[in-house]
Amino acid sequence: MNKIRETFDAIHAEETLVESTRAFLDANAGHAKRKRMPAPARLLPAAACLFLVAAGGYQYCFAATSVISIDINPSFELGVNRYDRVVFVKEYNDDGYAYANSLNLRFLGYEEALEEILASEEMKAYLSEDEWLTITVIRSEEEQGERILSNVEHCVEGHGNTSCHAVELHDVEGAHAEGLSYGKYSVLLELQKLNPEITAGDIQGMSMCEIQNLIQDLSGESSENCQEDEGGTHGEHGHEHGHGEKRHGE
Amino acid sequence: MRDEQEVNAALERYSDTVRRVCMIYLKNYADTEDIFQTVFLKYVLSSVSFESPEHEKAWLIRVTINACKDLRKSFFFNRRVSLDEVVEQAAEVPPDYTEVLEAVLSLPQKYRDVIYLHYYEEYTAEQIGRILGKNTNTVYTNLARAREMLKEKLGGDAYE
């Protein structure tokens, strides 16, 4: 233990690394250092929003500027507007439809929506069955996307069997044409690097854990998510939420 | 969003930690630089209020690990490098420690992070589970296997 401690103690961030990061932050986060606006000024966006709605600016307030894709076996997306409110919920499989409709997420702040999802009995049941929850933030506005990812990571802190990622919209824009959520589609792209013959239809009914295990089988690499446990392999057991969907291996 | 003073303080306090986490996940300096910048930009933009320095440190470790995993997912299959190169990127490690570092970095990824978090950061299995999003029992299993592998590679008390 001492040797391991001494070894890591000997590793320090190089001064050049710290300085280049400082310069990067100066160049890229300058806009983030604005002082907090006084309370009346903070109401301006809401007032502006009301004005724009009245003026026919519905699109401005209700257009999603980021999307959060929630995939476990239920697969659905939350559209988040520029004011961090959920403006739509779109489901991509039967489980996702049943699950999303059991919650009332529209117009909640996205953090509150995620807390509600994570606190729901059905989600707890999935996670206790060692399924894997993947939350993917799709960025179209960079600053909001980074902020959402950071807050999502904070939200899931303390919840096992979860992972959070961010992808760029232009990388996954083919998702909906294939009938997949953005999150599941980004995993399909990873799978296709290993086996180009795998199609969206092949993974549509699979849980994220089953997909991780498939990646593991194809790559020969150990999965960092759905690991083998002493009691068996996760994801091979069907559970009660399938609604008759076809599953990998069935 | 955080002001310049907070960010400078975080760079002072946590640069070494972020660097060490990058070292156990990444294979070259350019990737480390990318992740370093990403992590501290997230810190600047984040509105999370930290309850204590320990909470802040755990948040940064978790964000760094997630950023490293994202990067590995993007490039993992076409950017394999040798262990020597991986050890070389951990610049300025005195020769006395190279053997231990090589042994740790040659472990599979799922063992490297638990070794670092447990033996260096002194987190419990439960805390590691929360940081990595893994079951506590899985962390115990990985720690035990990692310890066995280090024992085979190093002998002695490096892993005790």
Side-chain angles (χ1 to χ4, degrees), chain B residues 75-92:
Chain B
F75 296 101
F76 183 68
F77 297 106
N78 51 15
R79 293 180 75 174
R80 290 167 190 271
V81 296
S82 71
L83 180 61
D84 287 346
E85 288 172 276
V86 177
V87 174
E88 272 171 26
Q89 66 100 19
E92 297 175 18

Side-chain angles (χ1 to χ4, degrees), chain A residues 212-231:
Chain A
Q212 290 287 352
N213 287 332
L214 181 56
I215 289 176
Q216 183 179 349
D217 289 345
L218 291 171
S219 68
E221 297 288 341
S222 64
S223 166
E224 290 177 9
N225 294 344
C226 295
Q227 297 187 32
E228 72 286 358
D229 249 350
E230 300 310 299

Side-chain angles (χ1 to χ4, degrees), chain B:
Chain B
M1 294 187 185
R2 298 170 205 285
D3 62 29
E4 199 168 348
Q5 202 176 355
E6 281 180 283
V7 175
N8 282 333
L11 275 167
E12 288 290 320
R13 277 201 298 271
Y14 303 118
S15 284
D16 289 348
T17 303
V18 174
R19 180 69 178 93
R20 288 172 190 131
V21 175
C22 286
M23 196 199 62
I24 59 174
Y25 274 90
L26 303 177
K27 298 169 180 174
N28 64 56
Y29 186 80
D31 287 347
T32 295
E33 197 168 25
D34 281 351
I35 295 298
F36 220 82
Q37 294 175 353
T38 302
V39 167
F40 283 101
L41 183 61
K42 281 184 179 177
Y43 180 84
V44 172
L45 298 175
S46 164
S47 55
V48 176
S49 61
F50 299 109
E51 293 151 14
S52 62
E54 290 74 28
H55 180 207
E56 187 173 41
K57 185 178 188 181
W59 184 88
L60 276 158
I61 289 175
R62 187 183 166 97
V63 168
T64 309
I65 288 172
N66 287 340
C68 289
K69 284 181 178 176
D70 280 348
L71 188 74
R72 283 161 54 91
K73 273 191 175 175
S74 309
F75 296 101
F76 183 68
F77 297 106
N78 51 15
R79 293 180 75 174
R80 290 167 190 271
V81 296
S82 71
L83 180 61
D84 287 346
E85 288 172 276
V86 177
V87 174
E88 272 171 26
Q89 66 100 19
E92 297 175 18
V93 178
D96 290 353
Y97 302 123
T98 309
E99 188 191 3
V100 176
L101 189 62
E102 267 187 23
V104 173
L105 295 182
S106 67
L107 296 175
Q109 185 59 59
K110 64 183 175 182
Y111 300 143
R112 269 186 251 169
D113 44 21
V114 293
I115 284 287
Y116 170 75
L117 293 170
H118 182 66
Y119 284 117
Y120 188 73
E121 298 292 350
E122 298 183 340
Y123 286 120
T124 63
E126 195 181 350
Q127 289 169 321
I128 294 171
R130 281 204 294 271
I131 289 173
L132 297 177
K134 288 178 179 166
N135 290 331
T136 307
N137 286 340
T138 306
V139 175
Y140 276 123
T141 305
N142 288 351
L143 262 176
R145 288 184 186 159
R147 217 178 275 133
E148 279 168 28
M149 292 171 84
L150 279 182
K151 189 175 180 179
E152 276 172 29
K153 287 173 194 288
L154 295 170
D157 61 354
Y159 49 84
E160 296 293 348

Side-chain angles (χ1 to χ4, degrees), chain A residues 205 210 236-239 242 244-250:
Chain A
E210 289 169 326
E236 290 182 352
H237 52 89
H239 50 66
E245 289 183 64
K246 189 174 187 309
R247 290 174 172 277
H248 173 57
E250 281 179 0

Side-chain angles (χ1 to χ4, degrees), chain A residues 149-171:
Chain A
L149 179 63
S150 161
N151 291 331
V152 166
E153 284 168 339
H154 183 60
C155 262
V156 301
E157 208 170 300
H159 292 270
N161 293 10
T162 59
S163 60
C164 315
H165 312 278
V167 295
E168 303 302 330
L169 178 61
H170 58 79
D171 289 334

Side-chain angles (χ1 to χ4, degrees), chain A residues 1 7 60 62 79 97 114 151 165 175 218 242 249:
Chain A
M1 177 178 172
T7 300
Y60 184 81
F62 291 90
Y97 183 82
L114 281 175
N151 291 331
H165 312 278
L218 291 171

Side-chain angles (χ1 to χ4, degrees), chain A residues 37-50 83:
Chain A
M37 289 183 286
R42 288 203 302 272
L43 295 174
L44 278 177
C49 186
L50 279 174
Y83 303 113

Side-chain angles (χ1 to χ4, degrees), chain A residues 176-220:
Chain A
H176 296 170
E178 298 279 6
L180 295 179
S181 67
Y182 287 128
K184 220 165 190 178
Y185 185 75
S186 70
V187 184
L188 173 65
L189 297 180
E190 290 300 318
L191 263 173
Q192 286 177 333
K193 287 182 198 166
L194 298 166
N195 180 354
E197 291 180 3
I198 290 178
T199 65
D202 295 332
I203 67 161
Q204 203 148 25
M206 290 169 67
S207 72
M208 295 308 280
C209 208
E210 289 169 326
I211 296 173
Q212 290 287 352
N213 287 332
L214 181 56
I215 289 176
Q216 183 179 349
D217 289 345
L218 291 171
S219 68

